[in-house]
């Protein structure tokens, strides 16, 4: 199904040859990849080992764009230098906080007018559907403040990053990164009827994430299996590459790509992309499409993936493991009902199905689901099904051709274009319920429940075809390959489709390249400036305010998604939710340390300094986690810590480059200590770090510190790997805003 070879290969004569047989030509061979050509065209440095990239376009949604514009405005923004699309697909329910979500939208519209941007009102499109339709094209690069910014199927290298990196682009700065590894993803065969893009994606994620085989790499998709896949199918695989922890992706383009761009009215943007003969790759992933089965990713990660056939054959064992993982990961104080109770007469009973967003809400996915359910019923029991088309043009075409009518007649509810089910702000299931979703993630709380309040539900990821099959079976978990053959239409490489963007023409504000400087930004009561941050002192005395020993810590655990998203435009209010579902005592601990630091700055005597010089030593907090930052690109996972007086993160490693860059851009130190697990750090332990400013000013990569715990002192070494000169200067200044405004 999927195999991974973690060694170098040349692509020659339609096959792969290990680079060990000819190491002399590796550097030249790297220039033959599609990724190299795109990166070279966007690099302003001249040095391909150290890239300084400018993007062709950018995109943000209404969880992130207010903070990005506020950051750039405080740093001297005059006009958007590249096309910048502001979509409204996350806070558009306006379910929490009164007027504050719509206040954000009006701020976004005024910003698009003032600085020359593109504004997509609520319920028109989810961010990635819109960017595929309007901007993705071969050879382009797009930066988005959302992890699933992936348009590789169009030949576009897209990267999901934290908001500060978009603010830097708005300030005409570059995206600085070392040249990434490039991994070949070679596709052969054709998917079986009933096997959809999510099945292929989950097989890929399951084979790569846990081993870190493609972490921070560019995945380059090509091979004979590509030509038989539609653009929707390719995009459905591509958008999920985020869950492998890769940096970006790009696919070979062909006549399917050309014809799809023609349908979108952008045929002139097509160009052929394919690897050159002798292209050199750092690793090889092979996907045999004809071997892929309908898949399920069990809670709480897309990599926890199994063939549905295997899951059903081992229900008791696999559900017991989910029970164990639930108690451990959520640190529950009281037992919860076992998921094994959902096994009825040997079958697993599901409570809810959702097909939504940039991964599930594509035209072809919803057509296949509609065909399975046409003339049938989802039943009048506890199971229910919701469908969210990804954009208004998709919804219009599904309506014209009768597919939405068939879904509604079967008992499915059809919703507007909204990302909510992907991050916990829509279709929250009942306590103890199990939801199957064709969406991007199944992290804890992504379904919207609150375990700390005694609420707990679960999400598993599946493809739209198998979700429809389960709906047809009244909620009994069913793989699409279990259905009669006559209900399964093979996926075509070019699904009949007419693109009508009249909804956009009548609602979207198109202001790219036409700034109106006299426009006043429209603020609401919840839109607040970033609180003032101070420059890094010479020495630091830091207190641990949270210690997390999970193998991986997601950004959802650092700052919850869901309803707290409503407060994204108010850094102080949002910070009160930091780690609230993982360690509810984190905020009061951090605020206590922050109060002592404020006394120090005011000239008061502070016992917490333990006799150290108040003029040169700052007090702050830090969070220890073994591998933090898996998941969303949103910068608030770091900025909330900084707002609460955080000065550092301490980790054995960082799950993603984007989270580490967020830590830096908000003025915190991204310390690494590979043996930190053995230190047994607990809340209240302290780190004394003398001369830290000198370390950064001198480009040092290690700081000598002392760990103070239980009355003892232990010398330790903290590493600061891979920081550029500008990143060091941002930390020295206290945050990105201070650095650029200064």
């Amino acid at each position: 199904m999927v195999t991974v070879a973690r060694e170098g290969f040349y692509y020659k004569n339609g096959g792969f040859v290990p680079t060990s047989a000819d190491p002399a030509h590796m550097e030249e061979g790297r220039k033959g990849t599609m990724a190299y050509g795109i990166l070279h065209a966007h690099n302003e440095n001249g040095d391909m080992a150290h890239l300084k990239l400018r993007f062709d376009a950018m995109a943000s949604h209404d969880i992130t764009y207010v903070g990005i514009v506020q950051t750039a405005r405080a740093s001297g923004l005059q006009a958007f230098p590249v096309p910048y699309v502001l979509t409204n697909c996350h806070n558009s329910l306006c379910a929490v906080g009164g007027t504050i979500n719509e206040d954000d939208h009006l701020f976004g519209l005024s910003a698009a007018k003032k600085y020359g941007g593109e504004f997509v009102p609520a319920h028109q499109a989810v961010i990635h559907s819109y960017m595929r339709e309007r901007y993705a094209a071969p050879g382009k690069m797009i930066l988005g403040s959302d992890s699933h910014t992936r348009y590789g199927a169009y030949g576009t290298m897209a990267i999901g990053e934290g908001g500060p990196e978009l603010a830097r682009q708005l300030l005409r700065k570059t995206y600085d990164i070392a040249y990434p590894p490039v991994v070949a993803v070679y596709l052969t065969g054709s998917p079986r009827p009933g096997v959809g893009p999510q099945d292929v994606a989950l097989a890929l994620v399951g084979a790569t994430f846990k081993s870190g085989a493609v972490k921070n790499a560019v995945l380059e998709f090509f091979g004979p299996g590509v030509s038989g896949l539609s653009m929707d199918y390719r995009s459905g695989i591509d958008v999920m590459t985020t869950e492998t922890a890769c940096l970006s992706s790009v696919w070979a383009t062909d006549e399917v790509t050309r014809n799809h761009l023609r349908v979108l009215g952008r045929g002139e943007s097509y160009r052929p992309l394919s690897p050159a003969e002798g292209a050199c790759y750092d690793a090889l992933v092979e996907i045999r499409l004809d071997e892929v089965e309908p898949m399920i990713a069990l809670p709480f990660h897309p990599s926890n993936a199994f063939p549905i056939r295997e899951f059903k054959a081992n229900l008791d064992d696999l559900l017991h493991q989910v029970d164990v993982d639930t108690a451990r990961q959520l640190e529950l104080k009281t037992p919860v009902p076992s998921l094994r109770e959902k096994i009825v007469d040997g079958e697993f009973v599901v409570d809810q199905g959702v097909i939504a967003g940039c991964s599930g809400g594509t035209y072809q996915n919803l057509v296949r689901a509609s065909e399975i359910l046409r003339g049938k019923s989802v039943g009048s029991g506890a199971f229910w099904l919701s469908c969210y088309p990804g954009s208004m043009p998709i919804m219009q075409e599904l309506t014209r051709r009768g597919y939405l009518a068939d879904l509604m007649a079967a008992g499915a509810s059809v919703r507007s274009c909204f990302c909510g089910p992907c991050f916990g702000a829509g279709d929250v299931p009942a306590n103890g319920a199990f939801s199957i979703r064709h969406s991007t993630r199944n992290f804890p709380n992504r379904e919207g429940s609150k375990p700390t309040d005694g609420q707990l539900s679960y999400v598993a990821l599946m493809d739209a075809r198998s979700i429809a099959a389960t709906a047809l079976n009244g909620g009994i978990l069913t793989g699409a390959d279990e259905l009669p053959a006559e209900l399964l239409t093979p996926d075509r490489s070019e699904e009949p489709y007419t693109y009508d963007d009249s909804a956009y023409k009548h609602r979207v504000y198109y202001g790219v390249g036409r700034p109106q400087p006299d426009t006043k930004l429209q603020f609401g009561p919840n839109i607040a400036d970033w609180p003032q941050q101070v420059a890094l002192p010479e020495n630091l005395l830091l207190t641990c305010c949270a210690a997390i020993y999970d193998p991986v810590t997601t950004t959802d655990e650092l700052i919850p998604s869901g309803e707290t998203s409503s407060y994204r435009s108010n850094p102080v209010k949002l910070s009160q939710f930091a780690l609230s579902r993982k360690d509810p005592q984190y905020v009061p601990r951090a605020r206590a340390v922050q109060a002592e630091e404020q006394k120090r700055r005011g000239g008061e005597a502070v016992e917490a300094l333990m006799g150290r010089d108040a003029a040169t030593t700052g007090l702050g907090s830090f969070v220890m986690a073994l591998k933090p930052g898996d998941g969303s690109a949103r910068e608030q996972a770091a900025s909330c810590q900084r707002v609460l007086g955080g000065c550092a993160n301490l980790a054995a490693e960082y799950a993603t480059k984007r989270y580490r860059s967020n830590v830096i851009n908000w003025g915190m130190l991204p310390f690494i200590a590979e043996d930190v697990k053995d230190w047994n750090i607990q809340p209240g332990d302290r780190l004394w770090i003398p001369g830290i400013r000198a370390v950064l000013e001198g480009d040092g990569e290690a700081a000598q510190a002392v760990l103070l715990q239980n009355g003892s002192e232990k010398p330790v070494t903290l590493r600061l790997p891979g920081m550029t000169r500008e990143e060091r200067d941002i930390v020295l200044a206290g945050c990105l805003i201070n650095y650029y405004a200064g």
Side-chain angles (χ1 to χ4, degrees):
M1 189 161 58
V2 179
T3 55
V4 181
R6 301 181 69 172
E7 57 182 303
F9 288 92
Y10 294 109
Y11 179 61
K12 292 183 177 181
N13 300 317
F16 293 91
V17 179
T19 54
S20 57
D22 183 16
H25 292 89
M26 290 174 60
E27 287 306 312
E28 187 63 26
R30 294 186 198 282
K31 298 178 182 179
T33 65
M34 295 179 282
Y36 184 94
I38 296 172
L39 290 169
H40 183 270
H42 291 81
N43 182 31
E44 298 204 342
N45 192 22
D47 177 5
M48 287 298 289
H50 302 93
L51 301 171
K52 290 184 174 293
L53 302 173
R54 289 195 189 276
F55 292 82
D56 298 296
M58 301 199 307
S60 294
H61 49 63
D62 47 352
I63 282 181
T64 55
Y65 65 59
V66 175
I68 292 166
V69 172
Q70 288 282 69
T71 300
R73 184 175 71 92
S75 305
L77 173 68
Q78 298 298 314
F80 296 156
V82 297
Y84 186 24
V85 177
L86 310 181
T87 68
N88 294 274
C89 49
H90 278 60
N91 279 350
S92 49
L93 275 187
C94 300
V96 177
T99 69
I100 62 179
N101 289 333
E102 188 61 19
D103 293 340
D104 284 355
H105 300 166
L106 293 178
F107 175 92
L109 177 58
S110 67
K113 291 180 177 179
K114 183 177 183 68
Y115 299 117
E118 195 160 321
F119 182 83
V120 184
H123 307 291
Q124 290 293 308
V126 302
I127 179 172
H128 304 309
S129 296
Y130 188 85
M131 295 305 290
R132 291 171 192 152
E133 293 172 13
R134 290 266 299 143
Y135 280 94
K140 300 294 185 182
M141 289 196 75
I142 294 176
L143 184 66
S145 56
D146 184 271
S147 298
H148 294 95
T149 305
R150 290 285 189 272
Y151 316 126
Y154 290 75
T156 298
M157 276 187 63
I159 297 175
E161 262 289 0
E165 291 295 346
L166 279 80
R168 285 165 56 98
Q169 292 282 311
L170 293 179
L171 298 170
R172 302 179 186 274
K173 309 299 180 182
T174 56
Y175 181 72
D176 302 341
I177 186 173
Y179 190 85
V182 181
V183 175
V185 183
Y186 194 69
L187 279 66
T188 60
S190 299
R192 309 175 197 173
V195 173
Q198 185 80 323
D199 299 316
V200 180
L202 293 179
L204 173 62
V205 174
T208 56
F209 173 78
K210 292 177 182 177
S211 67
V214 299
K215 181 179 176 181
N216 293 329
V218 176
L219 301 187
E220 192 156 301
F221 289 78
F222 59 98
V226 171
S227 62
L229 305 180
S230 70
M231 290 301 291
D232 275 359
Y233 207 111
R234 299 178 197 186
S235 292
I237 299 170
D238 185 67
V239 73
M240 291 295 292
T241 60
T242 297
E243 307 312 323
T244 69
C246 75
L247 175 72
S248 186
S249 59
V250 62
W251 291 56
T253 61
D254 54 17
E255 285 304 301
V256 173
T257 320
R258 185 200 299 269
N259 292 337
H260 183 73
L261 288 169
R262 283 175 180 159
V263 168
L264 295 177
R266 299 192 289 115
E268 77 288 346
S269 66
Y270 175 77
R271 56 175 278 204
L273 288 180
S274 61
E277 179 71 10
C280 177
Y281 294 93
D282 295 282
L284 170 64
V285 177
E286 295 187 77
I287 303 178
R288 297 174 293 281
L289 294 169
D290 54 322
E291 296 180 12
V292 177
E293 303 177 58
M295 302 286 291
I296 182 170
L298 297 174
F300 291 102
H301 199 277
S303 65
N304 195 18
F306 303 88
I308 291 176
R309 169 190 52 79
E310 182 179 330
F311 171 61
K312 294 179 72 171
N314 299 277
L315 284 174
D316 199 67
D317 289 343
L318 291 175
L319 291 173
H320 170 70
Q321 187 59 51
V322 174
D323 290 344
V324 171
D325 292 344
T326 300
R328 176 191 55 78
Q329 189 154 353
L330 300 182
E331 297 181 351
L332 300 176
K333 306 302 181 186
T334 57
V336 296
S338 171
L339 281 175
R340 288 179 286 179
E341 295 177 11
K342 291 189 171 296
I343 304 173
V344 179
D345 296 330
E347 302 281 3
F348 185 71
V349 178
V350 173
D351 302 282
Q352 179 200 69
V354 177
I355 304 170
C358 56
S359 61
T362 64
Y363 179 75
Q364 192 173 51
N365 284 336
L366 289 167
V367 168
R368 295 290 92 82
S370 175
E371 290 170 342
I372 290 171
L373 290 169
R374 181 181 296 141
K376 310 294 194 307
S377 170
V378 303
S380 57
F383 178 86
W384 49 294
L385 173 65
S386 298
C387 302
Y388 294 74
S391 73
M392 285 299 287
I394 293 172
M395 184 176 284
Q396 286 175 267
E397 184 68 355
L398 289 168
T399 301
R400 287 192 195 95
R401 295 179 181 266
Y403 294 117
L404 287 189
D406 288 336
L407 285 168
M408 289 187 284
S413 61
V414 176
R415 314 295 180 87
S416 66
C417 314
F418 177 50
C419 296
C422 290
F423 69 96
D427 279 342
V428 181
N431 184 50
F434 195 95
S435 176
I436 53 174
R437 302 190 174 192
H438 192 153
S439 60
T440 54
R441 287 202 168 123
N442 61 334
F443 293 170
N445 315 117
R446 277 275 167 158
E447 76 295 335
S449 65
K450 300 178 183 178
T452 53
D453 290 347
Q455 306 171 17
L456 180 63
S457 53
Y458 306 83
V459 167
L461 301 184
M462 285 171 47
D463 187 83
R465 294 148 189 78
S466 292
I467 292 174
T470 301
L472 184 63
N473 209 4
I476 295 174
L477 190 78
T478 306
D481 60 349
E482 300 176 58
L483 295 178
E486 59 268 21
L487 292 180
L488 299 176
T489 302
D491 285 290
R492 298 175 279 261
S493 63
E494 297 190 45
E495 195 80 34
Y497 181 76
T498 301
Y499 180 70
D500 179 358
D501 64 349
S502 57
Y504 294 160
K505 291 176 179 176
H506 294 146
R507 283 294 293 137
V508 172
Y509 174 76
Y510 298 108
V512 171
R514 296 184 288 108
Q516 302 174 32
D518 293 336
T519 301
K520 290 185 178 181
L521 292 176
Q522 184 160 339
F523 290 87
N526 188 58
I527 297 175
D529 290 326
W530 292 102
Q532 184 181 12
Q533 303 297 330
V534 300
L536 186 73
E538 178 59 32
N539 312 307
L540 285 173
L541 183 56
L542 305 181
T543 301
C544 177
C545 289
I548 306 170
Y549 285 89
D550 293 343
V552 179
T553 301
T554 69
T555 50
D556 284 51
E557 292 169 305
L558 294 168
I559 182 67
S561 59
E563 66 176 32
T564 57
S565 300
S566 298
Y567 298 99
R568 284 299 196 272
S569 302
N570 190 312
V572 174
K573 283 187 179 179
L574 181 64
S575 71
Q576 306 310 302
F577 294 95
L579 279 165
S580 59
R581 291 176 180 163
K582 192 66 182 174
D583 184 352
Q585 294 306 306
Y586 166 72
V587 171
R589 291 189 198 113
R591 291 182 69 179
V593 175
Q594 187 177 41
E596 293 297 293
E597 167 64 6
Q598 289 169 345
K599 289 179 182 179
R600 182 196 70 86
R601 294 180 198 169
E604 297 183 42
V606 178
E607 290 185 10
L609 281 169
M610 302 172 66
R612 290 169 174 82
D613 183 6
T616 60
T617 301
L619 297 171
S621 58
F622 74 95
V623 171
M624 194 291 297
L626 297 184
K627 189 178 180 181
D630 182 39
S632 296
R634 61 183 185 273
E635 64 277 9
Q636 291 89 350
S639 66
C640 283
Q641 296 174 53
R642 183 61 174 152
V643 168
L644 292 167
C647 294
N649 273 209
L650 177 56
E653 64 174 305
Y654 288 90
T656 59
K657 180 265 178 194
R658 58 183 176 267
Y659 177 67
R660 187 184 66 81
S661 72
N662 285 338
V663 171
I664 292 169
N665 281 318
W666 288 115
M668 295 191 294
L669 294 151
F671 287 133
I672 288 180
E674 294 176 359
D675 58 345
V676 71
K677 186 175 182 179
D678 300 328
W679 298 1
N680 193 30
I681 291 176
Q682 298 298 325
D685 292 345
R686 310 187 79 183
L687 278 170
W688 162 239
I689 314 170
I692 184 60
R693 188 175 185 91
V695 170
L696 287 172
E697 289 174 336
D699 287 343
E701 294 189 355
Q704 303 307 313
V706 178
L707 176 61
L708 309 172
Q709 55 183 177
N710 300 321
S712 65
E713 299 185 4
K714 174 185 177 182
V716 295
T717 299
L718 307 174
R719 291 198 298 114
L720 290 168
M723 293 177 68
T724 66
R725 179 68 263 173
E726 187 171 40
E727 287 177 328
R728 292 171 184 272
D729 289 342
I730 288 170
V731 174
L732 287 167
C735 69
L736 177 146
I737 298 173
N738 288 359
Y739 175 70
Y740 286 119

